[in-house]
Amino acid sequence: MKPQHIFIELSGTSREIGLKYGQEAKVMIHRNLEFYKVFFKEYAHMEWNEAQHLAQSFIPLIEKSAPDLLEEMRAIAEGAELSFEDILTLNCRSEVIFARPDGCSFIGFLSKHGKDGHVYMGQTWDWLIPAVENVCVLKIQKEGKPDQLIAVEAGMVGGKGLNSAGIGVCLNALSVGKGKVGMPLHVLYRMILNTTKASDAVEVVSLAQRAGSGNFDIGTASDYMFCLEYTPDNFDVLMSEGEPICHTNHYLSPLFLAQDTFKRDLPETFMRLNTLRRKAKELEFPVDEKTIFGVLSSHQNFPDSVCSHEDPIDSKYKRFCTIYGIVMDLTARRLWITDGRPCEGKIATYAL
């Protein structure tokens, strides 16, 4: 997999941010759009115009809770010379069809285990192989909001990242086999990164009318690290009390164990979680970004490992693998991301 992601610095109003984003990532956004047109047809037997129609139902909730992000989407569309419906549908891709959620493996460390007393978190992102060409890193400066560094799929307004207040967010896809019209997770990402303390980050998700299921891994430079598991109907918060915290693609809260449907479709989630927990116990502390990338490069249970490799026999639209590894130092407000799998990708560094 060749290095592909680009870095874009954005500042100003929502319109100015979206317009520049759309212009500078135009080629990647068009490529991402074509990928998802095929994806929707292959996995949901849904034509793109059908997906666009369904995405319209999400507008009122986004308008109510995050109108600035809706404005960004309109400007992204203008800058990329696409329709607003195209960009909206990209940003609702996880909710328009509640199937084939992407995977990942997460690990986080509080200050007692981090180098120089820093708080670290990191994860792999596992998805379909064409996505490796469509990763952007955005630095966003908007008046009245914390500055943000986020890794996104081209054309989307939210993703994994951190802010200048020391809040970091990662994600594990989960499923209870149902969904409803509600806040898209890519919008929730940005809403979390608009906060400045742990309790406000929880409130973003707890008060939202949630469309689907998932787990936000949230850490803070003020020394909190927790997994916020949610369904359309409920949520739970699993907090570290000092120990390293790990999560993959099945529910850990007793509230949701009986409802979990994704675990049957992705049984390697149990192996990956066990690998992370065992490696966390074997580590020599303190840890830094190199330590965490080492954990994220594990090939135990290959190819369905923490660093997941695709089966070359499958078509590219069925080749599930690790697209990148990402590590964050929340104390230093620094982010590292690989161009491709962490076992072989070149690491780029960004800071606020």
Side-chain angles (χ1 to χ4, degrees):
M1 292 188 283
K2 297 179 181 179
Q4 297 287 345
H5 64 67
I6 61 172
F7 177 59
I8 308 173
E9 296 189 68
L10 305 168
S11 62
T13 65
S14 295
R15 173 169 169 73
E16 290 168 338
I17 287 169
L19 195 61
K20 184 179 180 184
Y21 178 12
Q23 290 168 343
E24 295 206 11
K26 179 179 176 180
V27 172
M28 296 179 76
I29 294 171
H30 278 255
R31 190 167 58 219
N32 202 30
L33 181 67
E34 293 307 308
F35 162 53
Y36 276 107
K37 284 181 179 179
V38 175
F39 168 76
F40 275 60
K41 192 167 186 176
E42 288 246 348
Y43 287 100
H45 308 291
M46 183 186 295
E47 296 297 331
W48 189 247
N49 62 340
E50 297 176 77
Q52 288 178 316
H53 178 73
L54 287 172
Q56 297 291 312
S57 60
F58 294 85
I59 293 177
L61 277 170
I62 304 173
E63 182 69 55
K64 180 180 178 181
S65 298
D68 60 318
L69 297 182
L70 204 60
E71 187 177 353
E72 274 189 34
M73 290 183 210
R74 295 186 189 280
I76 292 167
E78 182 180 341
E81 298 182 2
L82 290 166
S83 72
F84 163 67
E85 291 75 18
D86 283 334
I87 299 301
L88 174 68
T89 308
L90 279 179
N91 280 277
C92 297
R93 64 96 163 159
S94 299
E95 291 76 26
V96 170
I97 53 170
F98 297 94
R100 189 62 193 247
D102 41 335
C104 61
S105 303
F106 169 84
I107 189 165
F109 300 89
L110 292 174
S111 62
K112 66 181 288 186
H113 289 143
K115 183 180 178 181
D116 297 326
H118 287 203
V119 179
Y120 286 87
M121 58 194 292
Q123 73 161 99
T124 58
W125 178 44
D126 301 344
W127 193 217
L128 300 173
I129 198 166
V132 77
E133 299 180 332
N134 303 323
V135 178
C136 302
V137 177
L138 309 179
K139 181 178 182 179
I140 302 175
Q141 296 176 297
K142 183 185 286 190
E143 187 176 352
K145 310 286 187 185
D147 294 349
Q148 301 173 11
L149 273 176
I150 54 176
V152 301
E153 295 177 79
M156 298 186 188
V157 297
K160 304 158 187 68
L162 58 85
N163 70 17
S164 56
I167 303 286
V169 62
C170 290
L171 179 84
N172 305 93
L174 303 173
S175 180
V176 292
K178 65 178 182 178
K180 64 183 181 183
V181 173
M183 287 298 291
L185 74 86
H186 289 89
V187 174
L188 288 174
Y189 269 130
R190 278 287 291 282
M191 292 175 68
I192 290 169
L193 289 176
N194 283 339
T195 66
T196 58
K197 61 181 187 292
S199 53
D200 289 345
V202 172
E203 188 174 64
V204 164
V205 184
S206 66
L207 294 185
Q209 184 172 322
R210 296 174 299 278
S213 303
N215 171 64
F216 284 114
D217 305 290
I218 299 172
T220 74
S222 61
D223 227 17
Y224 289 105
M225 188 74 63
F226 55 93
C227 297
L228 202 170
E229 296 184 343
Y230 66 93
T231 71
D233 306 314
N234 205 349
F235 75 96
D236 201 1
V237 179
L238 310 174
M239 302 197 73
S240 167
E241 296 182 359
E243 74 284 359
I245 191 166
C246 307
H247 208 294
T248 51
N249 299 109
H250 59 281
Y251 280 102
L252 302 180
S253 168
L255 287 177
F256 310 122
L257 296 182
Q259 305 170 54
D260 194 331
T261 58
F262 193 33
K263 64 184 180 183
R264 118 197 118 196
D265 301 319
L266 203 68
E268 64 267 26
T269 179
F270 299 103
M271 281 73 250
R272 288 187 282 113
L273 182 64
N274 184 261
T275 298
L276 292 174
R277 286 177 167 173
R278 287 161 60 188
K279 286 189 173 296
K281 289 180 179 179
E282 295 166 359
L283 289 174
E284 291 187 11
F285 298 113
V287 303
D288 59 12
E289 76 280 3
K290 294 178 183 177
T291 314
I292 298 173
F293 275 122
V295 173
L296 298 181
S297 298
S298 171
H299 289 149
Q300 191 168 0
N301 198 48
F302 186 87
D304 299 327
S305 37
V306 170
C307 183
S308 174
H309 287 240
E310 73 275 14
D311 185 341
I313 296 175
D314 289 336
S315 75
K316 71 175 182 177
Y317 285 96
K318 293 184 179 179
R319 288 162 68 183
F320 193 76
C321 66
T322 295
I323 302 302
Y324 62 66
I326 187 170
V327 175
M328 295 175 251
D329 178 342
L330 303 184
T331 308
R333 278 62 161 174
R334 187 173 290 118
L335 176 155
W336 298 266
I337 185 169
T338 60
D339 292 322
R341 291 181 290 263
C343 68
E344 60 188 18
K346 179 182 177 182
I347 299 173
T349 307
Y350 305 95
L352 287 176

